[in-house]
Amino acid sequence: MSELVFDAVAYRYDNADAAAVGPVSFTVGTGRSLAILGPSGCGKSTLLQLAAGLLHPQDGRVSIDGAELSTPRKNTAYMLQNYGLLPWKTVLENAALGLIIAGQPRIQAYRRATEALARLGLDAVAQAWPRELSGGMRQRVALARALATDADLLLADEPLSALDALAREDAQDLLLQLWCEEGYTQVVVTHSVEEALFLGQRVLVLGPAPGRQVALVDNPAVGTRDTTATVELARDVRALLKGAAPECAA
Amino acid sequence: MKRLAGYALAVVALVALWWLVASLLQTPALPSPLTAFNAFFAELPALVPAAGVSLVRIVAAMLGGMLLALPPGLAIGRSKRLDTIAAPFLYLLYPIPKVVFLPVLLVLLGLGNAPKIVLIGVVVFFQTLVTARDAARNIDAQYLMSVRSLGASRMQTARHVVVPATLPEVFTALRINVGTAIAILFLAESIAGTSGLGYYIVQAWGMIDYHAMFAGIIAMALLGVIIYEALALAERALIRWR
Ligand SMILES: Nc1ncnc2c1ncn2[C@@H]1O[C@H](COP(=O)(O)OP(=O)(O)OP(=O)(O)O)[C@@H](O)[C@H]1O
Ligand SMILES: [Mg+2]
């Protein structure tokens, strides 16, 4: 159970004159997947931090399963823009961190983390340091951390932007597959229209700063690439993004 | 291995330079390296206990100063409110040369170990305090967010992020400060006291026994190198992730 609701949410950083986000409204039902798409600086990361309970909106309400979010919750897995792995912890320690912080005994935490790593094909690097891994592997470690904690809500901030094109498609497949198998609710931020349409059952399109909501597009073609449906939707979404961009001097 | 070779080369070069200067100056105040090293080995029975006393003092002072400074330094660095209160004190106290309080400490604490340990400890304390504060302020926000999003408490954040993130800088500062710490030790031992390498060197000097004096100087130099290397070793053992 984890339904995420943003109700007219607006956020402004201290000592910033304009709002970074908002007002934004959407609902992601339990087990559903939302992709957030928008130009750089439009407030996507801020929006995820609001959903993670790391920031609190000045206006509106963020709630999970009907309860207003006031602090980070332990069943939310938040994957930062650069994965948020701690360089001074090994892959295994990083994967187990959520469980350790939740107060689980070390042995148990490490066993569950080991299972999660194995599932993502990372057994061989359990004792490696994050700096020794490729971008794709780091991303999988962050996913392993989410799996180990039994997260029911995954918030991923541009989880694939550091990967090259080939690794990127694999990683998209992996994200989709895990979401299908695990049944958690998912919010994925991305710059790429194709990626948003591959991963999100709905796509939230944000305009340039201050991040205002341009559209919430239903995407029946989730999980497919290069079909007629995705190509057409991609064209529509691009048009929405373009329409939202500031007018250039004509 | 490479490290050792580098050390050997440096020692040879320095001894050669020393020999050159000594043979140019021809003064009893600067004996040739051979004479000095002979004296060093001849004086070993007296040097070892003196070096032991000095070693205990400096290790106690550095450990104590560092351990006492780390918690408040990190806390000040992580809390804007604490920093507002503490920063003016730091800016005022940090630049004061702490050595000038030696006479006060001698009056208060006598001539034994206490004033020496306290004086060096205070110097290391302030160095560590300032380093830890600055390092804690500059922790990458993504690491903090990463553990906070997992619901970490303040203590857990300190343990999993703040301490490990700042440790490398604290160690670097400690290593850099070994020289200062030994200089202060020398001063304190030579001005007031009846034991330690500083006392030994000044005694030999007073008796115009330049050979023994140089034996003491070599011992003090060795003490510095050993402490520096021990810190480097501890650093590599504790900070394996770099
Ligand atoms: N800690 C902060 N303090 C003040 N302003 C901030 C802070 N973080 C972000 N901002 C501002 O808020 C706006 C939204 O930033 P945010 O990082 O959420 O955008 P984004 O869509 O994630 O950008 P990107 O695509 O580059 O990751 C930007 O104008 C940014 O400059
Ligand atoms: Mg961002």
Side-chain angles (χ1 to χ4, degrees), chain A residues 13-16 20-21 38-47 81 157-158 191 209:
Chain A
Y13 285 100
D14 297 345
N15 60 43
V21 161
S40 194
C42 72
K44 303 183 295 294
S45 296
T46 307
L47 212 142
Q81 204 152 348
D157 199 350
E158 299 191 32
H191 269 131

Side-chain angles (χ1 to χ4, degrees), chain B residues 30-54:
Chain B
L30 186 62
S32 81
L34 192 67
T35 323
F37 281 110
N38 273 336
F40 173 75
F41 288 110
E43 294 284 332
L44 265 186
L47 281 174
V48 168
V53 170
S54 293

Side-chain angles (χ1 to χ4, degrees), chain B residues 63-183:
Chain B
L63 260 182
M66 181 191 81
L67 291 180
L68 285 176
L70 217 44
L74 296 178
I76 293 168
R78 285 310 321 154
S79 155
K80 279 219 181 75
R81 214 171 335 145
L82 271 184
D83 197 58
T84 322
I85 302 168
F89 287 96
L90 276 182
Y91 289 136
L92 281 177
L93 293 177
Y94 183 64
I96 297 177
K98 314 298 177 295
V99 213
V100 298
F101 293 105
L102 181 59
V104 182
L105 288 175
L106 291 175
V107 172
L108 286 178
L109 299 172
L111 300 179
N113 284 328
K116 289 141 192 134
I117 293 177
V118 169
L119 185 63
I120 299 169
V122 167
V123 173
V124 173
F125 177 86
F126 274 97
Q127 299 281 10
T128 310
L129 193 70
V130 170
T131 312
R133 166 188 176 253
D134 291 347
R137 279 158 75 102
N138 295 328
I139 296 175
D140 196 332
Q142 61 155 321
Y143 302 137
L144 293 163
M145 258 199 269
S146 171
V147 295
R148 267 193 212 132
S149 75
L150 295 167
S153 64
R154 265 177 174 269
M155 278 313 288
Q156 285 174 323
T157 307
R159 187 173 143 219
H160 294 294
V161 175
V162 179
V163 171
T166 52
L167 215 53
E169 277 162 79
V170 169
F171 260 105
T172 305
L174 268 185
R175 260 191 300 125
I176 291 172
N177 287 317
V178 170
T180 316
I182 293 205

